[in-house]
Amino acid sequence: MAKKTKPLARPQTTRSAKPTPRRGEEPQVGEPPPRIARIAKGKKPVYFSDPAIDKLLWMTMTLMEELSVTRDRLDTVERLLESRRVLRRRDIESYVPRGAAERERSARRAAYVDRMMRAVEAELEEIAGTRRDAGAEDPVAAVSS
């Protein structure tokens, strides 16, 4: 006599009432933006035979990404400020930071350069076989020597 088996249960999925926006579409008002993973999984792709060129490509692409996002955000802020008659774009162009604003910009700029030079720093540490202190040496000077 053959055993009766139960059919496999299908996994239950919850569907939201509103469909998620497709690429290029704006999310509905009140909905959080889609979450994007910030850490890549798997091996890094290799595009060139020289790993130094791949690192330079990575640095350039990171810079392009940062600059593109910054330009979009700046454009948004400028348009909103001008449309609400808070300030004019020429006020932004003529602004000179002083005091705390100047120090904050300097610190942000230094952190940005450190992030951009991370691949070069790792390479130098690997070559030297030591861990270097952050900011101990100018990374640009180390690369050019």
Side-chain angles (χ1 to χ4, degrees):
M1 187 153 122
K3 277 186 170 180
K4 287 188 178 181
T5 59
K6 290 184 180 180
L8 294 174
R10 290 186 180 184
Q12 292 184 355
T13 58
T14 52
R15 292 184 179 242
S16 64
K18 299 175 188 172
T20 56
R22 293 184 177 185
R23 183 176 285 198
E25 291 180 0
E26 292 294 321
Q28 297 293 327
V29 175
E31 286 186 21
R35 186 163 180 237
I36 300 172
R38 297 193 48 89
I39 299 173
K41 294 182 179 179
K43 285 184 149 184
K44 268 188 170 178
V46 177
Y47 299 104
F48 299 98
S49 59
D50 185 353
I53 295 174
D54 273 344
K55 288 177 184 176
L56 184 60
L57 175 65
W58 173 79
M59 290 168 37
T60 304
M61 296 303 290
T62 302
L63 181 59
M64 286 173 52
E65 176 187 6
E66 290 277 342
L67 184 58
S68 176
V69 169
T70 301
R71 283 185 171 173
D72 287 348
R73 291 179 61 92
L74 178 60
D75 179 65
T76 301
V77 170
E78 287 177 355
R79 289 174 189 275
L80 288 172
L81 290 172
E82 197 164 45
S83 71
R84 294 182 180 154
R85 298 174 191 230
V86 175
L87 73 112
R88 296 173 301 247
R89 289 185 189 207
R90 69 174 174 239
D91 295 336
I92 295 169
E93 292 168 8
S94 64
Y95 175 76
V96 177
R98 289 179 174 54
E102 189 175 13
R103 288 188 299 276
E104 287 173 18
R105 282 186 180 190
S106 180
R108 186 176 52 241
R109 197 176 301 120
Y112 179 60
V113 169
D114 287 345
R115 222 173 39 250
M116 285 299 299
M117 299 303 290
R118 191 174 293 149
V120 174
E121 290 284 335
E123 182 78 16
L124 291 173
E125 288 172 6
E126 186 178 315
I127 290 169
T130 60
R131 178 113 177 111
R132 296 177 34 207
D133 293 332
E137 188 177 323
D138 181 15
V140 175
V143 171
S144 62
S145 61

